[in-house]
Amino acid sequence: MPMLHRSMLAALLLAAFTAHAAPGADLPGAADHPLIKRFAGSWLAGQRVADWDAAAVPAAPEYQKADKYKFKELVELEGKVTQTVYIAPRGKAALEVWRNYQQALNAAGFKPRFVCERDCSDLYFAWTRQLQPTKGFVWAKGDVDTPTGSRYSLTSALAHDDGRMLVGTLGKPGQQATVLLYTSLAANATTGLVATYVQVIEPKAMATGQVTVDPAALQAGLAAEGRVTLTGLFFDTGRTELKPESQAQLDAMAELLKSQPALKAWIVGHTDNVGGFEANEKLSLARAQAVVAALTAAPYKVDARRLTARGLASLAPVAGNGDEAGRAKNRRVELVAQ
């Protein structure tokens, strides 16, 4: 890979810095995640905490040989997301930092999905380019003192294009958090510092009842575009069963169909492009079928001849699949007038 291209990719891990952080000065208001404490003496340079959000982690270290910057498979998760970047004390070797994190996790019952310790640069590039791990971070302020006495910004001082990565779960069954840990392979040549990225995704139910579903809005959407996205339908990742918080959306759909007795509709499931197409096609169809089944059963009892389920997988995206925000928009169910 050309040196310029490699260096540009290497900067992605910490490219979101708009300010720079001084060793020893944690980001104000930030704290270690309760499950994983920092390497002794490290300082917290940046963090993002989302009380509830979607996130993804690599399912395996393999990646497509034809396009080494795209993961072959990702695990899509929802819950509380905490992402933190630490900088180890000066003079600490990357291996010492890595082994201490690894031993602490293992002692706590960590169950790895995969561990990469050698030749992980392509995995790093895929991770930073596809998942943008520091997007939305808040960063500490300041500069880094280098061993020569000069000042250097974290943007390019601490990013490293190769390192060690692990992904796995921690906690009791049913309450397991998913952990991703990345530690740079060696201290940065300019600053002599080692960076570690820790992401923790905790299972957590989304707060519901925050949106009122109006049957008139569904009718307006059908009148304007012939279709409407059913934003009030909820499924667990990779599952086809409607979650209880979908009831308000189902109530609105049933009311619309009752008020429009001549209306016939397609219920169409859609997915993002993560995973195999055939699996996504089956998933999208099964979710659409679950919606039809709910509406034709008690208490709604809509005539089954009025509703037809279809699954289009990733064939009709409404946003790009390059980041989680776009993929979240593409995972949807639509009501389409026949």
Side-chain angles (χ1 to χ4, degrees), residues 186-229:
N188 182 275
T190 303
T191 65
L193 298 172
V194 174
T196 297
Y197 175 96
V198 180
Q199 175 172 284
V200 182
I201 308 166
E202 303 169 77
K204 181 180 180 180
M206 182 186 68
T208 60
Q210 303 179 87
V211 177
T212 300
V213 182
D214 183 1
L218 298 180
Q219 177 58 38
L222 290 179
E225 298 185 16
R227 63 184 177 88
V228 61
T229 299

Side-chain angles (χ1 to χ4, degrees), residues 115-303:
V115 179
C116 181
E117 293 205 38
R118 294 181 182 275
D119 302 322
C120 304
S121 60
D122 287 325
L123 182 64
Y124 168 88
F125 292 144
W127 172 53
T128 54
R129 189 171 190 175
Q130 191 171 349
L131 295 179
Q132 299 179 302
T134 58
K135 184 177 181 180
F137 262 49
V138 178
W139 301 97
K141 297 180 180 179
D143 288 324
V144 178
D145 290 321
T146 71
T148 61
S150 62
R151 308 282 286 177
Y152 209 75
S153 74
L154 283 173
T155 306
S156 46
L158 298 172
H160 200 288
D161 65 354
D162 200 359
R164 299 174 175 91
M165 180 183 287
L166 59 76
V167 174
T169 57
L170 186 64
K172 299 178 181 179
Q175 300 177 343
Q176 290 180 324
T178 297
V179 176
L180 183 151
L181 176 73
Y182 171 86
T183 297
S184 54
L185 183 64
N188 182 275
T190 303
T191 65
L193 298 172
V194 174
T196 297
Y197 175 96
V198 180
Q199 175 172 284
V200 182
I201 308 166
E202 303 169 77
K204 181 180 180 180
M206 182 186 68
T208 60
Q210 303 179 87
V211 177
T212 300
V213 182
D214 183 1
L218 298 180
Q219 177 58 38
L222 290 179
E225 298 185 16
R227 63 184 177 88
V228 61
T229 299
L230 304 167
T231 56
L233 296 179
F234 302 100
F235 302 87
D236 284 326
T237 302
R239 304 297 296 272
T240 61
E241 299 83 5
L242 280 162
K243 300 180 73 171
E245 50 264 40
S246 303
Q247 182 177 343
Q249 181 74 84
L250 294 170
D251 289 346
M253 295 172 69
E255 186 175 338
L256 170 67
L257 291 163
K258 182 178 179 180
S259 67
Q260 303 282 334
L263 175 63
K264 292 184 177 181
W266 305 98
I267 306 297
V268 185
H270 300 266
T271 69
D272 55 30
N273 69 347
V274 176
F277 178 81
E278 291 184 1
N280 283 335
E281 188 175 33
K282 291 178 181 178
L283 177 64
S284 61
L285 175 59
R287 286 181 170 178
Q289 290 171 332
V291 176
V292 171
L295 289 170
T296 55
Y300 307 116
K301 296 185 178 180
V302 175
D303 187 345

